[in-house]
């Protein structure tokens, strides 16, 4: 059984008058050690699919398996606990809290769970920041960081609890080309060298060459699924 498997996953939304299908039955499998890019136009179903994969949104149909376990019908509390254990999230905006240092922002990953900081938190955080090129920033506040540095700090926060799955929603769209490339290179390394599942939702063609697999979604349906690195970005725009 794959580490993460979507089996006939579909999702409907209702406005109170009619039901609209935004994600049609989808079958996907994910294994550690690869970076997947999910691309498609606005409103195509990218974020819906990512939210279902991340146990944030329940599917209307189908089953989601994590390490062979059907997690589709977990209670809200059970799903939240599993998210904290298995997932890390990186968003378009870093969402760092001004007034807190980088290290304090990373510590929030434990605070939201009501958990105590582990004994080696400081050493682990400093090592993680160093690996992301942020070794001098642990005591700095976000206002002193560039956009690319803030995004790398948010990646550190997502990784501090060693998630098996890292889900990234448009992580480069607010960055300049150089910063975006640096962030994607880091995400690629995290997937390959650390053996994690990394999924990046993006319509930014600059990220496509970093993909081990590229998925293209249109109108709620996966229309392209390649395991080869994408070089010709024009083909998926």
């Amino acid at each position: 059984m794959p580490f993460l498997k979507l089996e006939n996953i579909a999702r409907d939304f209702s406005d109170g008058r009619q039901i609209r299908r935004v994600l049609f039955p989808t079958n996907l499998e994910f294994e550690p050690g690869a970076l997947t890019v999910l691309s498609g136009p606005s409103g195509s179903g990218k974020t819906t699919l990512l939210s279902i994969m991340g146990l944030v949104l329940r599917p209307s149909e189908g089953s989601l398996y994590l390490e062979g376990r059907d997690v589709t019908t977990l209670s809200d509390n059970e799903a939240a606990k599993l998210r904290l254990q298995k997932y890390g999230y990186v968003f378009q905006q870093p969402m760092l809290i001004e007034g807190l240092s980088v290290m304090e922002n990373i510590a929030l990953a434990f605070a939201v769970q009501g958990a105590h900081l582990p004994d080696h938190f400081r050493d682990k955080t400093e090592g993680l920041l160093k690996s992301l090129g942020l070794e001098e920033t642990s005591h700095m506040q976000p206002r002193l960081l560039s956009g690319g540095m803030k995004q790398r700090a948010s990646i550190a926060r997502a990784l501090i609890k060693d998630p098996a799955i890292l889900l990234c929603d448009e992580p480069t769209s607010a960055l300049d080309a150089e910063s975006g490339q640096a962030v994607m290179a880091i995400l690629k390394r995290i997937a390959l060298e650390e053996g994690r599942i990394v999924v990046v939702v993006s319509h930014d063609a600059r990220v496509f060459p970093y993909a081990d697999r590229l998925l293209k979604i249109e109108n709620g349906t996966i229309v392209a699924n390649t395991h080869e690195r994408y070089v010709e970005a024009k083909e998926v725009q």
Side-chain angles (χ1 to χ4, degrees):
M1 174 71 74
F3 193 94
L4 180 65
K5 180 178 180 180
L6 285 70
E7 189 174 272
N8 295 317
I9 290 290
R11 174 68 191 192
D12 301 325
F13 283 107
S14 172
D15 61 5
R17 293 176 298 178
Q18 62 179 359
I19 296 175
R20 182 169 66 93
R21 175 144 291 189
V22 297
L23 182 66
F24 290 87
T26 300
N27 294 281
L28 292 170
E29 297 179 357
F30 299 86
E31 293 285 6
L35 189 153
T36 298
V37 171
L38 175 60
S39 177
S42 178
S44 60
K46 300 189 302 293
T47 300
T48 297
L49 181 56
L50 194 74
S51 297
I52 291 173
M53 290 170 55
L55 303 180
V56 175
L57 192 65
R58 293 182 183 275
S60 301
E61 298 175 10
S63 298
L64 180 69
Y65 296 91
L66 182 60
E67 296 182 286
R69 174 190 179 192
D70 188 347
V71 297
T72 314
T73 58
L74 293 179
S75 68
D76 290 343
N77 287 339
E78 290 171 330
K81 184 177 180 179
L82 197 56
R83 284 198 303 270
L84 291 168
Q85 293 173 342
K86 298 291 185 180
Y87 289 86
Y89 301 88
V90 178
F91 303 99
Q92 181 175 352
Q93 299 298 328
M95 294 189 289
L96 302 175
I97 297 178
E98 298 292 345
L100 297 181
S101 68
V102 168
M103 184 169 289
E104 289 169 337
N105 269 280
I106 293 172
L108 291 176
F110 295 92
V112 296
Q113 192 178 359
H116 296 292
L117 293 180
D119 293 339
H120 302 293
F121 168 76
R122 182 175 296 275
D123 289 342
K124 182 176 180 179
T125 300
E126 289 179 348
L128 185 55
L129 290 173
K130 183 177 181 179
S131 73
L132 297 174
L134 298 172
E135 56 265 36
E136 304 298 329
T137 67
S138 62
H139 299 293
M140 295 172 64
Q141 293 189 7
R143 62 184 174 82
L144 301 175
L145 305 180
S146 68
M149 294 170 73
K150 289 179 182 179
Q151 194 62 293
R152 281 181 278 156
S154 75
I155 293 173
R157 183 180 56 197
L159 293 176
I160 192 63
K161 297 183 68 179
D162 295 319
I165 303 169
L166 187 64
L167 303 181
C168 310
D169 195 356
E170 301 284 0
T172 65
S173 62
L175 302 179
D176 59 46
E178 183 177 357
S179 297
Q181 289 172 0
V183 165
M184 287 307 303
I186 288 168
L187 295 175
K188 180 79 168 182
R189 175 176 59 78
I190 288 169
L192 295 182
E193 296 182 9
E194 300 181 14
R196 304 179 198 267
I197 293 172
V198 179
V199 181
V200 176
V201 163
S202 182
H203 63 271
D204 183 354
R206 297 173 300 178
V207 313
F208 298 157
Y210 293 90
D212 298 297
R213 174 168 63 161
L214 183 67
L215 302 174
K216 184 181 179 184
I217 186 170
E218 292 182 353
N219 298 317
T221 299
I222 299 292
V223 296
N225 182 352
T226 176
H227 283 76
E228 298 178 359
R229 290 190 60 186
Y230 239 74
V231 177
E232 295 295 332
K234 294 185 296 182
E235 294 182 24
V236 295
Q237 291 180 335

